[in-house]
Amino acid sequence: MFWRNSYQDLFWKNVLLMPKFLLYLLIGTDTWTQPQIQLAATSVNRKAPKRTAPAAEPVEPTAAPSDVPEHAPYLLIGGGTASFAAARSIRARDPGARVLIVTEESDLPYMRPPLSKELWFSDDPKAIETLRFKQWNGKERSIYFQPPSFYVSPADLAKVENGGVAVLTGRKVVHMDVRGNKVKLSDGAEISYEKCLIATGGVPRNLQVIDRAGEEVMKRTTLFRKIEDFRSLEKISREVKSITIIGGGFLGSELACALGRRSTDIGLEVIQMFPEKGNMGKVLPEYLSNWTTEKVRKEGVSVITDALVKNVTYKNDKLEIKLKDGRLTDHIVAAVGLEPSMELAKSAGLEVDSDFGGYRVNAELQARSNIWVAGDAACFYDINLGRRRVEHHDHAVVSGRLAGENMTGAIKPYWHQSMFWSDLGPDVGYEAIGIVDSSLPTVGVFAKATAKDTPKAATEQSGTGIRSESETEAVAGALKAETTATPPPIQQEEDYGKGVIFYLRDQVVVGIVLWNVFNRMPIARKIIKDGEQHADLNEVAKLFNIHED
Ligand SMILES: *[C@@H]1O[C@H](CO)[C@@H](O)[C@H](O)[C@H]1NC(C)=O
Ligand SMILES: *[C@@H]1O[C@H](CO)[C@@H](O)[C@H](O)[C@H]1NC(C)=O
Ligand SMILES: CC(=O)N[C@H]1CO[C@H](CO)[C@@H](O)[C@@H]1O
């Protein structure tokens, strides 16, 4: 066992890169959204984020205005993961509930993570159409949470005997009348509600230098978030010679690796650039971030670190990206974070958090009476860690579920801390909880990994394909931390096979990364919940039994 903290980098010179780490860096964000930590030193346009190529054409409404129900007991605005999780928990607690989801997207609710990971690695060429993917455990599933047959039609919502969930697609709520308990859609239709959830998520940010570079540049830029973005980038990757990903966070690194993986087969140049020193430099301590960057390079990606994009111009059918010097490319993917959608703040009289963005809600995710907010758009009060806004898949699941429970009258002031994970292919991965910000002091304790310490082995064992424990409610009661494990002899060669990294604020552990250590999240959760100061984190690390095998 060895340990290191973020200020002591003596070990690094000797680090051996483990050969078994291969293939694809599916840095699997469970966010499928961009972590806010990606807001890097690059100047980012926080104001009007724009959708880009392919231009977001207005979605065909699937229901005629007359199909819009006049009333929905439970109205959920937004059709993403948080909304779906809320619908599910509402129906679980109130089996006859009538739930209406209104979404701008043309699709039924789906999970975003596979759009930047599994779907790129499918053997089945039809996956681009079917949106079915193989989970680590080998089972296939669709990115849609439920098939169309699960939903009732909006027009029938009031009539169906046992209630149900209806989805109005391609519709946008533009105004809320909080006193009148009703909302207005862009086509003028009105829907009254008893309880309302705002889960509007956000839109990808763009770089200012791209935003102002004109139409030809915008046409060749992807801001990645939706099914249509996945399909269009996939097509573009087969048509152009060079793609540049701007952004070093989860989404950027995932897409870089996904594209890098195919680059040699199809003669595609894949460049990734970002202002940090290494991939995921805003999350991982520098030595691990450096290590990860080497992994990404091995995937065939030209990673340019410390890169500030000064200007982007279009000439001779190419984009020129000006850094200190210039880089030519055919297409840009800007993966520089998410701007929460706050359009309803004014009409609903909701407070927007000036530090984190998002609607300010209390620990029960309530914004006003009868109005809740969940997912990316919620700036909530975390009883342990203070005010936060989190853009991860698991957070959408957890917060949507909690809001749904509270909407059905459960008195649940209890906050289940969400986690997120990120996989470097089937053999390396990590899970994280709490505030994992590389600017905090960290202490890492590492041991040698074995074949069992892989994301693949972990999901095979747990039987869950998407490694989000909150989907299945991990049994924290089963946790038995063993404090008696004796530390093994100090290793001769340091590597980052597996380990635990603690993030500290005022000497209290506020975040934990489990690096190739799986199914121990309940232990991490408890340490964060306890919020105690620890004199010796090596002792705390023993709780994770990283040497047992
Ligand atoms: C930046 O690019 C724009 C065109 O996109 C061009 O008009 C402008 O002169 C460039 N600025 C610099 C400093 O190169
Ligand atoms: C990380 O890599 C950079 C070079 O890209 C190097 O300057 C730095 O010292 C490395 N940091 C650590 C902790 O190894
Ligand atoms: C409708 C409802 O049950 N709301 C509850 C949500 O949670 C808070 C805190 O526990 C309660 O005070 C509310 O009554």
Side-chain angles (χ1 to χ4, degrees):
M1 176 170 86
F2 69 102
W3 62 279
R4 62 182 292 162
N5 64 42
S6 46
Y7 301 136
Q8 261 190 355
D9 282 323
L10 302 172
F11 291 117
W12 180 245
K13 282 196 193 94
N14 296 325
V15 165
L16 290 186
L17 298 182
M18 300 200 65
K20 76 175 173 123
F21 297 125
L22 22 142
L23 311 181
Y24 41 119
L25 173 73
L26 279 181
I27 295 183
T29 65
D30 49 1
T31 90
W32 291 308
T33 65
Q34 290 275 76
Q36 66 215 57
I37 33 195
Q38 281 188 0
L39 266 191
T42 338
S43 94
V44 159
N45 181 0
R46 300 185 60 114
K47 284 284 137 17
K50 269 194 211 144
R51 306 284 312 154
T52 48
E57 61 277 352
V59 202
E60 284 282 306
T62 50
S66 58
D67 287 346
V68 175
E70 282 170 18
H71 180 73
Y74 294 98
L75 176 67
L76 316 183
I77 307 174
T81 299
S83 224
F84 183 79
R88 189 161 53 185
S89 82
I90 290 168
R91 291 278 302 164
R93 291 185 38 88
D94 178 358
R98 296 170 203 278
V99 181
L100 178 68
I101 293 174
V102 182
T103 172
E104 280 177 66
E105 289 197 52
S106 52
D107 290 286
L108 293 170
Y110 61 90
M111 53 179 81
R112 297 184 199 279
L115 294 180
S116 52
K117 36 186 281 192
E118 288 94 336
L119 283 173
W120 289 91
F121 300 100
S122 176
D123 308 326
D124 179 2
K126 289 206 294 293
I128 292 140
E129 285 313 309
T130 61
L131 301 173
R132 294 183 68 79
F133 67 96
K134 264 223 181 79
Q135 309 170 100
W136 287 130
N137 61 12
K139 279 199 215 123
E140 213 188 67
R141 68 155 296 162
S142 162
I143 69 166
Y144 293 100
F145 289 111
Q146 291 290 346
S149 59
F150 168 85
Y151 301 96
V152 302
S153 93
D156 293 341
L157 186 62
K159 291 176 243 158
V160 284
E161 201 177 329
N162 294 316
V165 181
V167 184
L168 266 183
T169 53
R171 299 304 181 91
K172 186 174 165 75
V173 173
V174 293
H175 189 271
M176 284 189 80
D177 172 359
V178 172
R179 288 184 172 229
N181 284 332
K182 61 188 182 198
V183 303
K184 195 188 265 175
L185 308 187
S186 53
D187 60 13
E190 288 190 341
I191 306 169
S192 61
Y193 60 80
E194 282 153 38
K195 310 264 174 79
C196 177
L197 174 74
I198 300 176
T200 43
V203 293
R205 290 193 174 116
N206 196 3
L207 293 169
Q208 263 168 18
V209 290
I210 295 176
D211 237 0
R212 62 169 187 239
E215 200 187 327
E216 294 299 332
V217 173
M218 283 302 276
K219 256 168 44 191
R220 291 165 178 79
T221 301
T222 297
L223 305 181
F224 194 94
R225 182 151 168 95
K226 298 178 178 174
I227 289 175
E228 70 216 42
D229 304 326
F230 161 70
R231 288 192 172 131
S232 106
L233 184 62
E234 201 281 332
K235 183 157 173 283
I236 288 163
S237 75
R238 287 182 281 111
E239 295 169 349
V240 303
K241 289 269 159 272
S242 164
I243 296 183
T244 299
I245 292 129
I246 303 175
F250 296 97
L251 183 63
S253 302
E254 266 170 57
L255 289 175
C257 289
L259 292 168
R261 188 82 190 290
R262 4 170 108 184
S263 61
T264 37
D265 292 348
I266 59 175
L268 175 72
E269 177 191 43
V270 181
I271 303 167
Q272 186 189 10
M273 53 174 69
F274 44 79
E276 294 84 37
K277 287 201 182 73
N279 286 74
M280 293 189 295
K282 299 250 157 194
V283 176
L284 298 176
E286 193 174 300
Y287 61 95
L288 271 183
S289 165
N290 277 7
W291 187 92
T292 305
T293 304
E294 289 314 310
K295 293 277 146 283
V296 178
R297 290 193 168 122
K298 286 199 173 149
E299 294 302 316
V301 179
S302 307
V303 182
I304 307 176
T305 61
D306 303 294
L308 267 178
V309 177
K310 297 227 174 75
N311 210 0
V312 181
T313 47
Y314 169 71
K315 56 179 168 232
N316 306 330
D317 217 28
K318 293 265 175 207
L319 302 181
E320 185 178 13
I321 303 173
K322 286 222 177 63
L323 307 167
K324 277 165 274 168
D325 49 8
R327 294 296 294 226
L328 289 178
T329 196
D330 297 315
H331 193 87
I332 289 175
V333 181
V336 291
L338 190 81
E339 186 68 30
S341 298
M342 309 308 302
E343 286 108 332
L344 297 174
K346 193 148 181 260
S347 61
L350 297 180
E351 184 184 2
V352 175
D353 190 273
S354 52
D355 294 332
F356 299 102
Y359 298 103
R360 274 177 84 102
V361 292
N362 64 15
E364 288 80 33
L365 306 176
Q366 202 159 13
R368 302 187 58 162
S369 52
N370 300 340
I371 301 180
W372 286 259
V373 187
D376 299 334
C379 181
F380 61 100
Y381 184 69
D382 180 323
I383 292 161
N384 292 116
L385 302 175
R387 199 153 277 285
R388 305 176 70 197
R389 192 171 68 78
V390 178
E391 299 174 358
H392 285 297
H393 174 79
D394 193 51
H395 171 70
V397 172
V398 166
S399 63
R401 185 173 61 210
L402 176 61
E405 283 169 351
N406 205 247
M407 288 169 84
T408 52
I411 309 293
K412 264 210 161 177
Y414 143 86
W415 175 250
H416 183 78
Q417 194 71 242
S418 67
M419 47 83 81
F420 65 90
W421 74 95
S422 179
D423 293 343
L424 298 94
D427 296 322
V428 182
Y430 68 84
E431 300 180 343
I433 190 168
I435 299 175
V436 287
D437 174 343
S438 62
S439 66
L440 294 171
T442 65
V443 174
V445 180
F446 294 90
K448 238 195 167 62
T450 71
K452 273 197 271 173
D453 302 312
T454 68
K456 188 160 183 286
T459 38
E460 273 163 3
Q461 220 186 349
S462 73
T464 59
I466 280 242
R467 209 171 66 248
S468 168
E469 58 150 4
S470 305
E471 296 269 14
T472 49
E473 288 271 23
V475 203
L479 153 68
K480 58 167 181 13
E482 288 176 20
T483 41
T484 51
T486 45
I490 301 282
Q491 271 177 236
Q492 297 305 307
E493 298 158 345
E494 290 85 8
D495 61 46
Y496 300 112
K498 61 174 171 174
V500 181
I501 300 113
F502 299 101
Y503 293 71
L504 305 171
R505 195 165 62 190
D506 305 326
Q507 282 154 56
V508 170
V509 177
V510 293
I512 296 178
V513 166
L514 301 179
W515 184 261
N516 270 341
V517 171
F518 303 100
N519 304 319
R520 310 277 209 285
M521 197 40 87
I523 307 173
R525 169 166 289 128
K526 184 166 184 309
I527 292 167
I528 293 198
K529 185 155 176 268
D530 292 349
E532 286 164 15
Q533 292 196 355
H534 296 279
D536 185 356
L537 286 167
N538 277 301
E539 287 302 312
V540 183
K542 283 180 196 162
L543 295 173
F544 293 90
N545 285 323
I546 61 174
H547 307 291
E548 153 230 275
D549 266 304

